[in-house]
Amino acid sequence: MRDADHLRSILSRINGRGYKAYKDIRGIYRFRSYDLCVDHVQGDPYAAPSRIRVVLSQDRAGFPPEAYGNNSRRIALEDYLTRSFAGAVHRYVTGRRGSGKSGAVTIDTPHQEILERTSCFVNAETVEVRFRVGLPAAGRRILGHEAEEIFFREIPRVVDASLRYESLDETDLKRHLDVNEDQDVLRDQLSGKRFAAFIADGSVLPRRSGIDDRPLQRGQGNTVIPFASPDSLRITLHVPHAGSVSGMAIPEGITLIVGGGFHGKSTLLRAIERGVYNHVPGDGRELVVTRPDAVKIRSEDGRSVAGVDIRPFIDNLPYRSDTGAFTTENASGSTSQAANIVEALEVGCRLLLIDEDTSATNFMIRDERMQELVVKDREPITPFLDKVQLLHRDLGVSTILVMGGSGDYFDVADRVIMMDAYVPKDVTEKAAEIVARDGTSRREEGGERFGEVTSRIPQRHSFDPSRGRREVRIDAKGLKSIIFGTQDIDLSAVEQLVSASQTRAIGDIIHYYAIHHAGGEYPLREGLERVMMQIDRQGLDVLSDLKEGAYARPRLFEVAAAVNRMRSLRVRRMPDS
Ligand code: ADP
Ligand code: MG
């Protein structure tokens, strides 16, 4: 390791020279209170900025062990320090100076969720932060003095203000860790109590807009109605920091959310979808938690499907009979929704979340009159309505369903919640009365059993990451798309993906999976579980040699969703055991 002065002298030596001379600053330098690592130097001022790390010893950083004593608190602390670093960059870094990305200092900044990330690591010895610096140049000529400003004035200030316990707001930090820990404890209680989800009283569910995930604020014509449980579904749970928390527990089984248009049905479901993640204090959903094995399902016409047994829902298609290993480049609304469900079940989903807004009608319902006109053996689709109870009985899979459009679901629901001007009411008994009074001559079409869920083994050659002369070309293109070799994986219908850094990780997880586990004897689920266990043990750094600072941890379900959307995917069926 070299002294910081060494970096200073290189910068003054290469000042004014061609950009390539920046390569000389690669290395580790000892600054007064931390080590600065220049891991990778960009090739020109327009390329992705250079990868830098700062490593402080805990002697300097001074975080008490309680702040990182368990996974929950450690992840929350790392998240907090990432945000704190970003805030200090905003205050102390001048930013753009010179051409291209010259002077920009950036860190992968989290949004409303608290996720495990690679932007920051805390343990008993050190605090490490990973970020990027656009090494400054005018045209292609090195601006050595400006680089010196960044490394010797700005970054030391940022580090001092954002990564030392002493300079942080103790109360605010503690709240961040406590709120995160409470969410984990709350979520952990769900399956033992046979709950699918829990929404605390007082939660704020609506968001500012479709592209702004912060809580809706009062004013400017907005009224915000905080969540209030119906008495019959209200329970009290206990968490370590907030103490007793009352709220609505949605039990396992089949829950229907009904109500008039614009009364808050989808907003409730959306909060439940996001309840698989923890949220920051002030988000409004800090005490909204959902089983971690919940998957949002929607229709997605146009997607590709590889060898999925969708016979539980769709059989006897005209001119093609192979729905036992359904393969298509261009699925319809109903076949895509069926495939989405079976694929989620294949990798361990135990709670389906479905909104009529994004479902194929002919997949969801088939009413009495239609049964009469189009007889069963001319209709390949068994509607979800006729399978939802079998799903629960045979596989223990619950469903929460937003359905304002068809009362046929009253027959199969264990519980009916009506959203009425954003206030939930338990209308289970009323729905049962209607069923008893009016009856129906609709015939059940679901058969005796739900049917088999496939286990597929993806073939290794499905995962070619090369493109042109590059052996590996994998990258996230925003939140909803991954470049994998020569293909684009379209994740626009994968609604529980919340961060582009998860998307980035998914691309590399698929590559890792393909190298280590594809093709062999393991089905998709087991192969992915192995990768996720590896990540549990060694962290997301197993995915890359670059000390990547911009990964966030995805769930196994979203990784599987990406694999399933690869147009190159080829599978073989698990041999029957
Ligand atoms: P639905 O699915 O029943 O048609 P939505 O959930 O889409 O209704 O909600 C309609 C509108 O009401 C949305 O703009 C949403 O942001 C707003 N909204 C939902 N819940 C609340 C609430 N508790 N307080 C204020 N506005 C809300
Ligand atoms: Mg809706």
Side-chain angles (χ1 to χ4, degrees):
M1 192 184 313
R2 296 176 286 184
D3 198 77
D5 283 341
H6 195 88
L7 176 61
R8 210 193 283 272
S9 65
I10 303 175
L11 289 174
S12 86
R13 172 167 59 76
I14 63 178
N15 183 37
R17 287 179 45 193
Y19 206 83
K20 288 280 184 267
Y22 261 135
K23 297 280 177 199
D24 292 356
I25 71 168
R26 246 196 73 146
I28 307 178
Y29 305 92
R30 181 180 297 284
F31 278 64
R32 204 155 44 82
S33 59
Y34 57 83
D35 296 338
L36 179 94
C37 314
V38 180
D39 289 328
H40 176 263
V41 175
Q42 66 204 95
D44 67 73
Y46 299 90
S50 304
R51 292 173 187 271
I52 313 288
R53 282 179 302 134
V54 156
V55 183
L56 278 84
S57 72
Q58 272 297 5
D59 293 346
R60 293 281 182 172
F63 289 95
E66 311 87 81
Y68 52 87
N70 60 39
N71 269 342
S72 185
R73 294 182 85 73
R74 179 183 49 79
I75 289 169
L77 175 59
E78 292 166 349
D79 173 273
Y80 190 88
L81 295 181
T82 301
R83 294 171 196 266
S84 158
F85 189 93
V89 165
H90 194 71
R91 288 197 301 281
Y92 298 118
V93 173
T94 314
R96 286 294 184 79
R97 42 174 99 188
S99 38
K101 291 161 187 158
S102 288
V105 176
T106 53
I107 185 162
D108 186 38
T109 314
H111 300 291
Q112 295 302 105
E113 284 81 15
I114 298 176
L115 303 171
E116 183 179 344
R117 298 179 165 271
T118 55
S119 50
C120 177
F121 295 89
V122 180
N123 60 33
E125 280 79 46
T126 57
V127 171
E128 172 179 335
V129 170
R130 300 176 179 180
F131 55 100
R132 289 183 180 251
V133 173
L135 297 173
R140 297 188 45 83
R141 286 218 340 270
I142 289 175
L143 291 172
H145 296 302
E146 275 74 3
E148 192 179 326
E149 276 283 281
I150 297 170
F151 286 119
F152 288 87
R153 256 173 58 116
E154 296 180 345
I155 290 174
R157 282 187 182 172
V158 169
V159 171
D160 191 61
S162 68
L163 302 182
R164 292 183 320 115
Y165 186 61
E166 247 184 42
S167 35
L168 299 176
D169 177 340
E170 207 179 315
T171 320
D172 192 56
L173 169 62
K174 183 174 182 311
R175 178 151 169 257
H176 200 79
L177 311 191
D178 289 353
V179 162
N180 194 58
E181 196 172 20
D182 278 353
Q183 293 177 72
D184 284 327
V185 172
L186 204 54
R187 191 177 299 104
D188 281 349
Q189 295 177 44
L190 294 178
S191 68
K193 298 187 189 300
R194 306 195 137 265
F195 294 148
F198 175 83
I199 302 109
D201 291 326
S203 296
V204 172
L205 308 188
R207 302 291 102 189
R208 263 178 228 183
S209 78
I211 52 162
D212 186 343
D213 203 35
R214 290 174 300 172
L216 184 67
Q217 279 179 318
R218 281 184 53 189
Q220 288 153 13
N222 293 326
T223 327
V224 178
I225 311 290
F227 190 83
S229 314
D231 291 336
S232 58
L233 293 173
R234 181 179 296 124
I235 58 140
T236 299
L237 295 175
H238 301 277
V239 290
H241 306 288
S244 298
V245 181
S246 80
M248 179 171 88
I250 299 183
E252 291 178 358
I254 298 146
T255 303
L256 213 57
I257 301 171
V258 302
F262 225 68
H263 278 255
K265 303 183 297 295
S266 297
T267 302
L268 172 59
L269 190 77
R270 194 133 260 265
I272 294 170
E273 283 164 47
R274 296 301 175 87
V276 300
Y277 299 115
N278 293 349
H279 291 98
V280 294
D283 173 85
R285 299 169 295 184
E286 301 95 305
L287 293 165
V288 178
V289 292
T290 304
R291 293 177 57 119
D293 48 12
V295 178
K296 172 68 182 293
I297 298 292
R298 55 170 292 165
S299 75
E300 187 183 352
D301 57 328
R303 65 158 285 195
S304 62
V305 177
V308 177
D309 185 349
I310 57 171
R311 282 175 302 179
F313 297 110
I314 296 171
D315 212 348
N316 303 319
L317 291 181
Y319 304 110
R320 51 193 296 184
S321 52
D322 56 346
T323 54
F326 184 66
T327 301
T328 180
E329 281 293 313
N330 187 9
S332 67
S334 57
T335 52
S336 63
Q337 195 162 358
N340 284 349
I341 291 178
V342 174
E343 287 167 349
L345 299 176
E346 180 186 10
V347 291
C349 160
R350 300 293 293 275
L351 172 62
L352 299 172
L353 306 174
I354 302 179
D355 192 329
E356 61 182 348
D357 290 353
T358 47
S359 291
T361 307
N362 60 341
F363 179 77
M364 298 307 293
I365 54 179
R366 185 165 128 79
D367 69 13
E368 209 175 305
R369 286 182 168 164
M370 200 53 81
Q371 284 184 328
E372 217 164 295
L373 186 67
V374 182
V375 292
K376 171 68 183 142
D377 53 344
R378 303 303 294 169
E379 174 52 89
I381 304 173
T382 303
F384 188 72
L385 172 62
D386 287 313
K387 286 293 189 181
V388 65
Q389 284 180 311
L390 296 168
L391 251 176
H392 189 232
R393 193 197 68 193
D394 295 352
L395 305 177
V397 174
S398 299
T399 297
I400 301 176
L401 173 66
V402 169
M403 177 56 78
S406 169
D408 283 350
Y409 272 90
F410 294 170
D411 288 324
V412 296
D414 297 313
R415 211 148 263 93
V416 185
I417 296 167
M418 180 166 82
M419 294 306 285
D420 181 9
Y422 314 138
V423 179
K425 309 251 164 79
D426 182 355
V427 294
T428 311
E429 277 175 28
K430 195 146 185 222
E433 278 166 27
I434 293 170
V435 166
R437 194 186 62 216
D438 299 352
T440 175
S441 49
R442 187 181 182 281
R443 287 174 297 278
E444 280 179 32
E445 301 182 339
E448 296 297 307
R449 292 175 357 98
F450 175 74
E452 291 303 313
V453 173
T454 17
S455 278
R456 298 167 301 155
I457 302 178
Q459 304 288 281
R460 186 167 271 141
H461 66 255
S462 308
F463 305 99
D464 179 2
S466 71
R467 182 177 190 132
R469 286 206 307 253
R470 291 180 63 173
E471 252 174 69
V472 178
R473 167 93 170 100
I474 300 172
D475 206 356
K477 227 166 58 186
L479 177 63
K480 294 297 181 90
S481 175
I482 296 172
I483 299 168
F484 196 98
T486 54
Q487 68 182 307
D488 276 12
I489 311 176
D490 179 4
L491 303 176
S492 49
V494 181
E495 296 184 341
Q496 284 167 299
L497 201 55
V498 294
S499 159
S501 309
Q502 290 179 306
T503 315
R504 181 175 300 107
I506 289 173
D508 291 335
I509 289 174
I510 294 175
H511 185 46
Y512 187 94
Y513 163 79
I515 292 170
H516 296 278
H517 301 296
E521 53 195 304
Y522 305 126
L524 177 64
R525 176 178 180 176
E526 207 177 330
L528 291 181
E529 278 171 354
R530 279 162 189 265
V531 181
M532 299 314 263
M533 262 154 53
Q534 195 81 9
I535 293 173
D536 283 340
R537 280 197 296 271
Q538 290 168 258
L540 288 158
D541 269 347
V542 295
L543 302 176
S544 167
D545 303 328
L546 290 173
K547 298 198 186 292
E548 172 61 63
Y551 287 138
R553 188 175 174 136
R555 301 189 307 160
L556 184 148
F557 298 107
E558 281 68 43
V559 180
V563 170
N564 282 319
R565 283 160 182 76
M566 293 179 75
R567 291 190 178 265
S568 58
L569 181 64
R570 300 292 177 271
V571 300
R572 80 194 153 79
R573 285 287 284 274
M574 248 329 244
D576 291 332
S577 46

